[in-house]
């Protein structure tokens, strides 16, 4: 039921709370694919070859008590489709490891989640990998990593283990080796020739990005992460809400609006009583885990936005430090400056707005984010 006068989402009895349906959903998922953090049957990438004389292009080790090799560099030969074979080992003493995060950075660009294509793995919804067994104080596995194929290219792969849900943008969050230590990671750098890590343009562009108003069944693509430009449904919140940067909503008084995840308005009524529920209430994710983003309406024109080709161009357009966690009454042609809690900056061009609270309500935009 949608109340047009002052948009309020009523969560139907079949939906109740995202937390409630997620419990039911997880039961099904665990029975089918065993993807709980506490599961004992999941394997991450294929186990290491039993051959005791097997050799690897790179052997990485990250141990809590030292004696490890946390930074490895290897040379590629430029072959098309070439991969390097790697052995990766982690050992902790203080904490159990629950997840493994892997990112890749090409030619000095911003790190992105590493996506497995040739190996069977069990991935969590946030892109991390489950670790095996109850006693997760040590693990070792083999992984094939794509190598650069052009002279001067470089790829850096970064590995870290966490005690629970981490964050691809923050290697210190729940780091199992040493929390709040940005050196508690392993890196494998693969170079072809002499790497040039400055040849990127320093931006990511997400074109034709559509966010829709939140719907009562949680099916709406309402939130976005500037880290990778991916949009997320409200019903994905328990696992992925910590990745969201901001979301879209529409109210009669506020019009087309964007809001920081942690400051997203309480629009949800799960039991017919006040106060209305927040994103934290709905997803079960503590508010301290949710991202903050800050907005300001830019003086830049559409032509200024279109001319942005470098990260430095984004900085040049920023004439202020955004401080508002919500921006309202957006119109087509507006340019919005946004900065996240990590200091990353982006520009948003509003391309289209379909006003309203129903399933047709949406905003279409193009985003250029500084790496």
């Amino acid at each position: 039921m949608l109340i047009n006068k002052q948009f309020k989402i009523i969560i139907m009895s079949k939906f109740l709370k995202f937390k409630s349906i997620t419990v039911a959903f997880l039961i099904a998922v665990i029975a089918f694919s065993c993807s709980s953090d506490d599961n004992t049957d999941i394997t991450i990438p294929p186990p290491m070859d039993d051959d005791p004389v097997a050799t690897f292009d790179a052997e990485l080790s990250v141990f809590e008590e030292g004696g490890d090799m946390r930074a490895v560099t290897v040379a590629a030969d430029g072959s098309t489709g070439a991969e390097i074979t790697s052995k990766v080992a982690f050992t902790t003493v203080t904490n159990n490891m629950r997840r493994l995060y892997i990112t890749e950075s090409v030619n000095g660009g911003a790190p992105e989640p590493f996506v497995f294509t040739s190996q069977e793995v069990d991935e969590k919804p946030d892109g991390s990998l489950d670790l095996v067994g109850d006693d997760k104080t040590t693990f070792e596995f083999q992984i094939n990593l794509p190598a650069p194929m052009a002279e001067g290219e470089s790829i850096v792969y970064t590995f870290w283990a966490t005690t629970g849900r981490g964050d691809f943008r923050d290697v210190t969050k729940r780091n199992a080796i040493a929390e709040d230590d940005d050196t508690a990671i392993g890196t494998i750098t693969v170079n072809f020739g002499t790497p040039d890590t400055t040849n990127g343009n320093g931006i990511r562009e997400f074109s034709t990005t559509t966010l829709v108003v939140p719907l009562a069944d949680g099916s709406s693509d309402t939130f976005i992460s500037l880290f990778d430009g991916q949009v997320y449904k409200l019903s994905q919140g328990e696992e992925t809400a910590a990745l969201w940067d901001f979301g879209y909503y529409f109210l009669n008084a506020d019009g087309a609006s964007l809001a920081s995840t942690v400051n997203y308005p309480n629009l949800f009524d799960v039991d017919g009583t006040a106060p209305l529920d927040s994103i934290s209430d709905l997803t079960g994710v503590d508010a301290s885990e949710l991202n903050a983003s800050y907005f300001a309406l830019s003086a830049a024109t559409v032509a200024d936005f279109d001319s942005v080709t470098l990260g430095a161009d984004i900085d040049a357009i920023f004439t202020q430090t955004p401080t508002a966690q919500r921006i309202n009454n957006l119109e087509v042609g507006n340019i919005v400056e946004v900065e996240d809690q990590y200091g990353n900056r982006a520009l948003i061009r509003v391309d289209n707005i379909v006003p309203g609270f129903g399933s047709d309500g949406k905003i279409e935009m193009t985003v250029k984010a500084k790496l």
Side-chain angles (χ1 to χ4, degrees):
M1 179 184 303
L2 297 177
I3 299 179
N4 190 18
K5 192 172 182 180
Q6 181 60 40
F7 176 52
K8 178 171 70 173
I9 294 182
I10 306 297
I11 306 298
M12 304 300 183
S13 60
K14 65 179 180 181
F15 195 61
L16 295 180
K17 273 193 178 183
F18 292 120
K19 289 182 286 188
S20 300
I21 68 157
T22 302
V23 171
F25 174 73
L26 284 178
I27 293 172
V29 171
I30 291 169
F32 179 74
S33 65
C34 302
S35 63
S36 161
D37 275 340
D38 298 321
N39 156 61
T40 60
D41 300 321
I42 293 175
T43 57
I44 52 175
M48 212 179 60
D49 196 317
D50 291 334
D51 183 353
V53 296
T55 58
F56 302 90
D57 299 311
E59 295 192 34
L60 182 73
S61 54
V62 183
F63 302 151
E64 183 176 346
E65 292 191 324
D68 50 13
M69 181 63 69
R70 297 191 182 187
V72 179
T73 300
V74 297
D77 63 9
S79 302
T80 300
E83 296 181 322
I84 65 164
T85 58
S86 304
K87 182 175 73 173
V88 176
F90 274 70
T91 298
T92 60
V93 176
T94 307
N95 299 309
N96 282 337
M97 295 175 283
R98 298 289 181 179
R99 302 189 186 199
L100 177 69
Y101 286 79
I102 309 173
T103 62
E104 61 178 324
S105 171
V106 179
N107 298 330
E112 300 183 19
F114 177 73
V115 178
F116 287 89
T117 58
S118 59
Q119 293 172 282
E120 292 296 327
V121 297
D122 285 289
E123 290 182 288
K124 302 293 285 184
D126 71 346
S128 61
L129 304 182
D130 277 304
L131 299 179
V132 64
D134 283 332
D135 180 13
K136 302 183 180 72
T137 57
T138 185
F139 69 87
E140 187 175 275
F141 67 95
Q142 176 180 329
I143 181 173
N144 297 325
L145 300 170
M149 296 179 289
E151 175 71 29
E153 287 192 347
S154 176
I155 305 176
V156 178
Y157 298 96
T158 302
F159 302 76
W160 69 98
T162 65
T163 57
R165 185 175 55 239
D167 189 327
F168 276 107
R169 289 175 287 192
D170 183 3
V171 300
T172 68
K173 185 175 181 178
R174 297 194 175 96
N175 192 300
I177 298 291
E179 191 166 18
D180 298 328
D181 181 358
D182 60 9
T183 67
I185 59 175
T187 61
I188 296 176
T189 301
V190 191
N191 297 325
F192 177 38
T194 302
D196 176 7
T197 59
T198 63
N199 60 3
N201 63 10
I203 66 170
R204 289 191 186 128
E205 182 171 349
F206 313 125
S207 57
T208 319
T209 298
T210 301
L211 299 180
V212 301
V213 295
L215 300 176
D217 63 359
S219 64
S220 53
D221 290 325
T222 298
F223 287 85
I224 184 173
S225 170
L226 291 179
F227 178 64
D228 56 9
Q230 185 172 341
V231 297
Y232 293 91
K233 302 180 189 302
L234 280 165
S235 56
Q236 296 174 304
E238 182 175 29
E239 180 62 32
T240 68
L243 303 176
W244 308 346
D245 285 309
F246 59 85
Y248 177 65
Y249 69 97
F250 188 96
L251 293 174
N252 283 335
D254 293 347
S257 302
L258 299 175
S260 170
T261 305
V262 72
N263 195 249
Y264 195 82
N266 297 1
L267 301 176
F268 307 92
D269 187 355
V270 300
D271 54 14
T273 62
L276 301 182
D277 293 84
S278 66
I279 294 299
S280 178
D281 295 326
L282 289 172
T283 62
V285 177
D286 191 89
S288 64
E289 301 261 337
L290 301 179
N291 286 329
S293 294
Y294 304 91
F295 305 93
L297 192 63
S298 180
T301 65
V302 169
D304 294 331
F305 177 91
D306 293 344
S307 68
V308 169
T309 58
L310 302 171
D313 296 336
I314 292 179
D315 285 334
I317 286 178
F318 267 66
T319 58
Q320 56 196 305
T321 300
T323 58
Q325 293 197 56
R326 300 181 192 177
I327 187 166
N328 306 124
N329 295 307
L330 292 170
E331 299 177 357
V332 172
N334 283 162
I335 307 299
V336 178
E337 300 170 13
V338 57
E339 185 169 333
D340 69 16
Q341 67 188 49
Y342 305 97
N344 301 311
R345 290 177 164 182
L347 295 173
I348 298 170
R349 184 187 69 204
V350 180
D351 298 327
N352 185 42
I353 295 171
V354 178
F357 319 122
S359 58
D360 293 333
K362 64 182 179 180
I363 187 171
E364 295 175 351
M365 57 193 183
T366 298
V367 181
K368 292 183 178 180
K370 183 182 176 183
L371 302 180

